[in-house]
Amino acid sequence: MKHKYLVGLFDDEEPLLVATKKIRKAGYRMKEIFTPFPVHGLDEAMGLQDTRLHTIGFVIGACGTLFAIGMMGFITAVDWPINVGGKPFFAFPSFVPITFELTVLFASVGMTVIFYLRNGFSVFKDPEIVDPRITDDRFAMVFCMKKYGDRQGQIEDLLKKTGAVEVKERYLEEELPDNLFKSDKEYFESLEKAHH
Amino acid sequence: MQYSSPERQPLIEGHKTYHDITEDIASGNEGTPPLAWLIGLGISATVATIGVLCILWTIWQGIGVWGLNKTIGWAWDITNFVWWIGIGHAGTLISAILLLFRQRWRTGVNRAAEAMTIFAVICAGLFPLIHMGRIWLAFFIFPLPNTRGMLWVNFNSPLLWDVFAISTYFTVSLLFWYSGLLPDIATLRDRATGMKRRIYAAMSFGWSGKAKHWQRFESLSLVLAGLATPLVLSVHSIVSFDFATSVIPGWHTTIFPPYFVAGAIFSGFAMVLTLMLIARKLMNLQEYITIAHIESMNKVIVMTGSIVGVAYITELFVAAYSGNVYEQYAFWNRATGPYWWSYWCMMTCNVISPQLFWIKKLRRNIAFTFFMSIVINIGMWFERFVIIVTSLHRDYIPSSWSYYSPTWVEVGIFVGTMGIFMTLFLIFARFLPVIAIAEVKSILKVSGDQYLEKFAEEEKAAREKGISIAGSANVAGARHDKDA
């Protein structure tokens, strides 16, 4: 089954940011925005929930720290203690470099793996692109017509009024997955805060 | 609206649009390969093959084919190892530390510099492995559960710390580099057709630039940069511990970690300049790697070069002041002993020559910069040679005193690693964007020449009206109070 979407194309980041806020204020939630480079503040303008990726990185990194100390402590003090010049078996100062390295290794590998998994990345995926220029110089705002089919005209007008250079319908084989949005109350509060 | 002081130099020249940036950079990866590339690849692949043959000969015969002896057990192998690792450090500095410092000029060179890091670490890693002699037992360096009576590695040894440091450094650099490449591979994918498109599609992991993905991408790059920054400092510190924790006069000094890190960045920037000056010429990237970029890198060189110079002099002073005759002899011997030529080569290349970059004209001169980048690389190679060989060749008992010169096998391996490095770099430059397309686009509005011209005009108009625009505009990282 084909899924119908409305795509508004912008040619610059500034009108896109303004348009995103205006359209959200008008009461519509875009399904997705595709940009060719990271647009600072777009996730806030859209009302996306904050990412928890850095928290995951911290937790995995802390696991790395514990693993490193545990492993070296077990090996040098429990499993096979060797007396080297009367020095302590559990010689913490000389464990510091490896503990640090393993913390960094765990945190970065863990974060990257979670990044790929959560984004649904796969080498077998050749994504359906709403417009071939979204990895070049176009910023695409996509609306789900299953949800807003009855108000397509209004959204089209809004897009054109807020500076979209092109508005078109697009049918995709695969449905675009949902984004996690903040609640409307939270979103408008955060906009207020940013304004002040 | 983004704003930048018009006094800043443009980092993207030629009034580019977003599409121009895509076109200019991606076109380097499309079409038939240019003749210069094919010739370059042919030469470097040949040199790499010689290196591989010499490595195989070493493995076949044992390291007896090298010029090492009982007194001098570390020489070219470890010199090359430290040299290559040091070269890699500039890539991480540019991509991680300059990201944290919000230096916009990094976007022009970070991609190639990170690639350089990865290839340099590959070359570096080869040396300790073949130096082991029995490379098929290389896995002994990892604390793996084993059947040797559960005999473990020694966690108190800096050599083992090095194993963890280098392998972590390689892994993190690779992840950082590849994650940053995803959006640009997607750009190439959407321009390609047929088989090429399918390959780029697999390599891009299905990237399409969704807002949520960018949000996570930015979080990932920031945290990886934050982790890579102390990591890069730790790696060369740990490399220096290989020497500093020993009791050899000339090695046993506390100044080593900062001195090694500064030297690493110094030589790394020289290598980035060598590569980028060639790449910008061959691939027509003068508008993205501008004189402003080259000048910024030369400033880093003069800074780190001065740190290195101060470290050399401090070493001499401390040896003289310590009253320790062995230490004093080690340094006197460096300057006047049988290896005096390598010491003075190091001093000239590393201490005196970078000071020329205090002159602005020379910092902005491309031919001179290229020449200096080679000089510095030679100087930094000699630094490691001086530290390692000169300190070792006078053993505790004069009857063990010795002299080392490399055999053809060692020369072949060293030259061969340069071939491996260049081969990998050329393959990278052909099939992946050498400049981070998405990142350059994200600084266009603040560092593109047309926007800086616009800012200058606005400022002039405002000044004529007698008002300051500093308060009204959203001033992003610009000092702008002088006409208030």
Side-chain angles (χ1 to χ4, degrees):
Chain A
M1 203 192 96
K2 296 235 178 194
H3 303 269
K4 187 179 171 190
Y5 292 97
L6 187 71
V7 180
L9 291 176
F10 292 78
D11 64 352
D12 211 345
E13 50 182 312
E14 283 154 28
L16 173 80
L17 276 173
V18 176
T20 308
K21 281 182 204 158
K22 275 191 186 155
I23 290 172
R24 281 293 325 251
K25 273 183 196 153
Y28 299 99
R29 260 189 202 180
M30 52 287 293
K31 183 81 180 172
E32 192 60 79
I33 298 183
F34 296 93
T35 62
F37 57 84
V39 176
H40 195 71
L42 182 65
D43 45 351
E44 282 139 45
M46 263 176 92
L48 288 183
Q49 277 188 7
D50 292 335
T51 172
R52 288 164 298 176
L53 196 57
H54 38 262
T55 318
I56 294 168
F58 177 80
V59 171
I60 302 176
C63 292
T65 315
L66 295 176
F67 171 76
I69 298 174
M71 171 195 71
M72 288 186 283
F74 169 75
I75 288 174
T76 56
V78 180
D79 193 48
W80 190 302
I82 296 174
N83 187 331
V84 182
K87 293 187 182 98
F89 296 131
F90 188 83
F92 184 71
S94 56
F95 296 166
V96 169
I98 292 182
T99 305
F100 171 76
E101 301 299 331
L102 286 182
T103 306
V104 170
L105 185 70
F106 272 58
S108 34
V109 173
M111 258 184 97
T112 313
V113 169
I114 302 280
F115 171 76
Y116 280 64
L117 288 179
R118 288 292 287 143
N119 286 353
F121 284 171
S122 148
V123 283
F124 303 111
K125 198 158 135 191
D126 191 351
E128 271 182 287
I129 299 290
V130 290
D131 187 283
R133 291 174 72 178
I134 55 164
T135 51
D136 178 9
D137 62 346
R138 284 291 181 266
F139 305 73
M141 200 186 287
V142 181
F143 293 87
C144 179
M145 284 299 112
K146 203 158 74 186
K147 187 175 170 192
Y148 293 127
D150 50 336
R151 282 175 282 177
Q152 185 175 347
Q154 282 137 293
I155 298 180
E156 268 177 40
D157 287 345
L158 252 177
L159 280 169
K160 277 180 193 150
K161 230 190 288 167
T162 52
V165 288
E166 195 187 332
V167 181
K168 61 180 182 182
E169 286 175 8
R170 182 87 164 78
Y171 290 88
L172 296 181
E173 293 288 341
E174 242 180 277
E175 201 169 359
L176 287 172
D178 279 319
N179 268 316
L180 285 174
F181 281 94
K182 288 178 190 160
S183 70
D184 281 356
K185 187 167 159 272
E186 243 182 298
Y187 172 68
F188 288 113
E189 271 169 16
S190 73
L191 273 196
E192 277 294 302
K193 229 188 271 167
H195 192 69
H196 288 301
Chain B
M1 197 190 105
Q2 283 178 303
Y3 183 80
S4 171
S5 165
E7 280 176 32
R8 287 184 187 274
Q9 293 185 60
L11 298 172
I12 304 159
E13 289 172 354
H15 292 71
K16 300 290 182 196
T17 61
Y18 294 137
H19 182 64
D20 291 338
I21 296 175
T22 314
E23 200 62 43
D24 289 347
I25 299 170
S27 61
N29 306 114
E30 291 160 353
T32 48
L35 189 65
W37 182 81
L38 286 171
I39 295 172
L41 188 71
I43 296 172
S44 36
T46 313
V47 177
T49 312
I50 295 172
V52 170
L53 290 176
C54 289
I55 290 173
L56 291 176
W57 182 245
T58 304
I59 294 169
W60 183 255
Q61 287 285 36
I63 56 168
V65 295
W66 293 355
L68 303 176
N69 53 46
K70 190 178 72 59
T71 307
I72 302 163
W74 282 5
W76 269 43
D77 43 7
I78 306 300
T79 303
N80 299 339
F81 162 70
V82 181
W83 186 71
W84 275 121
I85 281 286
I87 282 173
H89 279 36
T92 323
L93 184 102
I94 291 173
S95 58
I97 301 183
L98 297 185
L99 177 88
L100 298 183
F101 283 128
R102 306 248 176 250
Q103 291 294 306
R104 293 194 191 104
W105 62 269
R106 61 176 278 284
T107 54
V109 286
N110 66 347
R111 170 67 45 72
E114 283 168 36
M116 184 195 81
T117 296
I118 291 159
F119 306 146
V121 176
I122 291 174
C123 291
L126 274 173
F127 286 100
L129 287 177
I130 50 177
H131 187 222
M132 288 173 190
R134 283 180 278 177
I135 195 169
W136 51 95
L137 298 179
F139 65 93
F140 276 26
I141 60 177
F142 292 106
L144 300 168
N146 56 69
T147 52
R148 305 185 292 277
M150 271 318 236
L151 188 61
W152 296 101
V153 289
N154 178 10
F155 287 105
N156 298 313
S157 163
L159 295 179
L160 185 71
W161 305 347
D162 231 4
V163 171
F164 282 86
I166 305 294
S167 38
T168 302
Y169 184 49
F170 180 73
T171 314
V172 174
S173 305
L174 191 68
L175 295 177
F176 198 20
W177 178 68
Y178 200 82
S179 303
L181 261 168
L182 288 174
D184 291 355
I185 300 176
T187 303
L188 292 182
R189 173 197 70 205
D190 293 343
R191 292 164 59 88
T193 50
M195 193 60 196
K196 224 176 144 187
R197 183 192 154 89
R198 285 220 289 282
I199 295 171
Y200 280 131
M203 286 172 73
S204 70
F205 282 84
W207 178 273
S208 53
K210 291 179 183 174
K212 187 72 192 176
H213 292 181
W214 279 121
Q215 187 195 41
R216 292 191 183 120
F217 179 91
E218 296 235 282
S219 160
L220 180 73
S221 356
L222 194 65
V223 176
L224 283 187
L227 289 169
T229 300
L231 177 66
V232 69
L233 302 180
S234 84
V235 170
H236 229 66
S237 298
I238 292 176
V239 169
S240 82
F241 291 163
D242 293 347
F243 305 97
T245 58
S246 74
V247 291
I248 311 284
W251 288 6
H252 188 64
T253 49
T254 47
I255 200 178
F256 263 23
Y259 153 30
F260 267 52
V261 170
I265 292 162
F266 180 55
S267 66
F269 267 85
M271 190 58 108
V272 174
L273 280 168
T274 313
L275 286 178
M276 291 319 279
L277 289 176
I278 300 173
R280 98 193 255 280
K281 183 90 194 145
L282 288 182
M283 303 183 77
N284 263 325
L285 298 170
Q286 286 93 335
E287 283 156 332
Y288 299 95
I289 303 165
T290 62
I291 300 285
H293 288 91
I294 295 169
E295 195 185 359
S296 298
M297 287 193 267
N298 282 336
K299 282 179 185 164
V300 178
I301 284 188
V302 79
M303 153 94 178
T304 49
S306 303
I307 297 177
V308 169
V310 170
Y312 291 166
I313 294 161
T314 309
E315 267 190 323
L316 291 179
F317 170 76
V318 170
Y321 192 64
S322 68
N324 180 328
V325 286
Y326 303 102
E327 192 77 11
Q328 285 168 349
Y329 175 74
F331 283 90
W332 181 251
N333 182 49
R334 275 187 191 179
T336 61
Y339 287 108
W340 65 270
W341 44 270
S342 60
Y343 183 78
W344 292 108
C345 179
M346 158 187 113
M347 279 303 215
T348 322
C349 295
N350 293 352
V351 183
I352 300 164
S353 64
Q355 300 306 322
L356 292 171
F357 277 142
W358 288 105
I359 303 162
K360 187 165 184 172
K361 250 201 182 124
L362 294 177
R363 274 203 310 267
R364 299 174 69 89
N365 182 317
I366 292 172
F368 181 75
T369 302
F370 186 74
F371 172 73
M372 282 299 298
S373 71
I374 306 276
V375 167
I376 291 166
N377 272 316
I378 295 173
M380 284 308 291
W381 188 87
F382 272 107
E383 180 202 291
R384 280 67 183 249
F385 182 80
V386 166
I387 292 173
I388 294 170
V389 178
T390 340
S391 306
L392 284 176
H393 83 127
R394 290 290 175 255
D395 208 345
Y396 298 106
I397 308 170
S399 64
S400 306
W401 287 8
S402 179
Y403 192 83
Y404 161 87
S405 14
T407 61
W408 63 270
V409 184
E410 282 170 290
V411 179
I413 294 174
F414 177 50
V415 177
T417 51
M418 290 191 207
I420 295 171
F421 178 77
M422 279 313 292
T423 309
L424 291 171
F425 192 83
L426 284 170
I427 293 174
F428 152 73
R430 179 63 205 154
F431 296 107
L432 295 169
V434 279
I435 291 180
I437 302 176
E439 287 192 49
V440 169
K441 282 178 191 163
S442 70
I443 65 156
L444 177 68
K445 287 292 168 68
V446 272
S447 298
D449 50 358
Q450 73 269 45
Y451 295 96
L452 286 172
E453 282 160 20
K454 202 180 80 193
F455 295 143
E457 271 165 32
E458 278 168 13
E459 193 175 308
K460 198 168 151 236
R463 199 182 290 123
E464 274 160 14
K465 278 190 214 151
I467 50 162
S468 163
I469 61 167
S472 56
N474 178 12
V475 181
R479 54 193 158 79
H480 216 277
D481 44 2
K482 61 183 167 54
D483 56 355

